[in-house]
Amino acid sequence: MKERERILVDIAKNEARYLRDLKALLHQPSVSAQRLGLEEMAGLLVRMMRKYGVKARSIPVKGGAPMVYGEIGNPNGGILLFYNHYDVQPPEPLELWKTPPFEPEIRGGKIYARGVADNKGNILIRLAALQVYQDLYGSLPFQVKFLVEGEEEIGSPHMIEFVESYKDLLRADACIWESGGVNFAGQPVLTMGCKGILYVELMARGARRDAHSAGATHIPNPAWRLVHALATLKNEQEQILIDGFYDDVLPPSAEDMRALKKIPPEENKIKKSLGLKEFLLNLKGLKLKKRALFEPTCNICGMISGYTGPGGKTVLPSSARVKLDFRLVPNQKPEDILKKLKAHFQKHGFGDVVMSTVEQGEYPARTPLGHPFVRLVQEVAEEVYQKEAVLEPMTGGTGPMHPFIHTLGLPVVSVGAGYPDCRAHAPNENLRLSDIRKGILFIVTLLRNFR
């Protein structure tokens, strides 16, 4: 029997156990934005990791969610670090879920629950891969370490300090990141970098209390105040108008552009999946891919003001709030963009708009495409998926990759079991069971080839 078939047979033999353990992880709510179930989730994860032979423990974080650390294998060999997170996005709007978000259900060859794609499914895949490896090959000749945090979905506010404090514990030779998957054509997608982020909430105030809307002739409306302030940030060509915003943007290299040209054009399938006729600025082809991965953003995440319930209420609100995120690219810094944002509002006469919270600030980071570890992961991916791998220099999303690359000095590659319609962060989040099996096969094969 070929090695691939041996691995798949062992996966099939234990699949019921793996799915049972995955359901246990999914059943426990762990919403970092709401501080819901994080300690319980960390404890559950420690117990589960120990079941798979991993020496695991929970490390308290002052003012934050516990970090879960684990290790297994020969400490005298090389070291591969797995980074994951056990926190999930809020499940709302609940009415759009076909089944309750924390009651995992398998139907149509998929498992549905909040957090299954992002990121509990990948945690279980890595644990299952260790079990398969030990079943077939015995003890690991090198060491595998886990770091699983509980605050990724709120910007990993304690990660930089934690990595600095535990540099020796987290010492490794390379890191496999938490996310990834396949594209519409079933090709494995490997990502080597993350954008950074600045997340802020703005507030404008008007009268002491809500007023009758008949007073709109003379009473200031803070909702309009915010609308006018927001209109100064970006023009209709999607250019961000903050002075100096683009000063530190590092343009893509020739190697990056070659990689972009090799990324399959899936824009029509993405538009169909999202119900869109066209993208902003009618972007397509190489321009679309370049903008998605190498240009920063200014995005309105949500606005709240006045009455938003059923029916009408003729009210003039006393306050208005808006949440913004800025996705940042190398070499932008969140603290610099925050300073420029404040200066922008002062310059345009909106100094009264208050930044009530600054919730997230992460730095962009990336691993060079030509790094030997990238080539190793690419070779394994192409062997397992039997298709050419897609190399993405960056992702449009954000994660705490910066301290792993710049403090620990690790090459980082992001791989996982997701697919384009896994609906991470949305209602009816899911993973295909076939992708879970393939994900376990991938990690086992990587372990077999890691030196």
Side-chain angles (χ1 to χ4, degrees), residues 402-439:
H402 188 274
F404 290 79
I405 292 176
H406 293 278
T407 302
L408 299 177
L410 302 180
V412 178
V413 181
S414 188
V415 299
Y419 74 109
D421 198 31
C422 66
R423 305 189 185 190
H425 291 207
N428 303 306
E429 182 177 351
N430 69 91
L431 279 183
R432 299 181 297 201
L433 300 185
S434 58
D435 287 324
I436 292 175
R437 298 181 196 110
K438 194 69 69 70

Side-chain angles (χ1 to χ4, degrees), residues 15 98 138 159 170 198 250 266 285 289 355 362 405:
E15 184 173 59
K98 290 185 178 179
M159 184 58 76
L170 299 175
L198 171 68
L250 185 67
E266 298 192 316
K289 291 184 280 190
M355 292 188 190
E362 292 188 75
I405 292 176

Side-chain angles (χ1 to χ4, degrees), residues 264-340:
E266 298 192 316
E267 54 209 55
N268 290 333
K269 293 178 180 177
I270 296 171
K271 284 188 288 188
K272 183 179 179 180
S273 174
L274 295 173
L276 296 175
K277 291 183 178 180
E278 63 181 38
F279 291 119
L280 285 172
L281 308 177
N282 199 26
L283 285 166
K284 59 186 68 174
L286 187 61
K287 288 184 178 180
L288 171 62
K289 291 184 280 190
K290 180 182 176 184
R291 183 172 176 85
L293 300 187
F294 287 103
E295 292 193 24
T297 69
C298 172
N299 176 62
I300 297 173
C301 299
M303 298 181 69
I304 301 172
S305 185
Y307 178 72
T308 59
K313 182 182 181 183
T314 52
V315 63
L316 195 157
S318 60
S319 67
R321 291 183 290 132
V322 63
K323 294 177 183 286
L324 301 176
D325 70 26
F326 297 85
R327 299 284 177 169
L328 310 178
V329 299
N331 290 319
Q332 290 180 303
K333 301 177 179 63
E335 66 270 21
D336 177 63
I337 299 303
L338 178 62
K339 180 179 178 181
K340 290 172 177 174

Side-chain angles (χ1 to χ4, degrees), residues 139-181:
S139 300
L140 286 165
F142 53 87
Q143 190 171 52
V144 168
K145 293 181 177 180
F146 286 82
L147 182 63
V148 191
E149 70 159 316
E151 297 180 314
E152 193 274 345
E153 299 292 7
I154 58 170
S156 304
H158 297 93
M159 184 58 76
I160 291 177
E161 181 181 356
F162 183 86
V163 171
E164 286 282 356
S165 300
Y166 288 90
K167 280 191 291 188
D168 291 340
L169 183 69
L170 299 175
R171 179 179 59 85
D173 298 298
C175 177
I176 290 292
W177 205 246
E178 49 104 354
S179 62

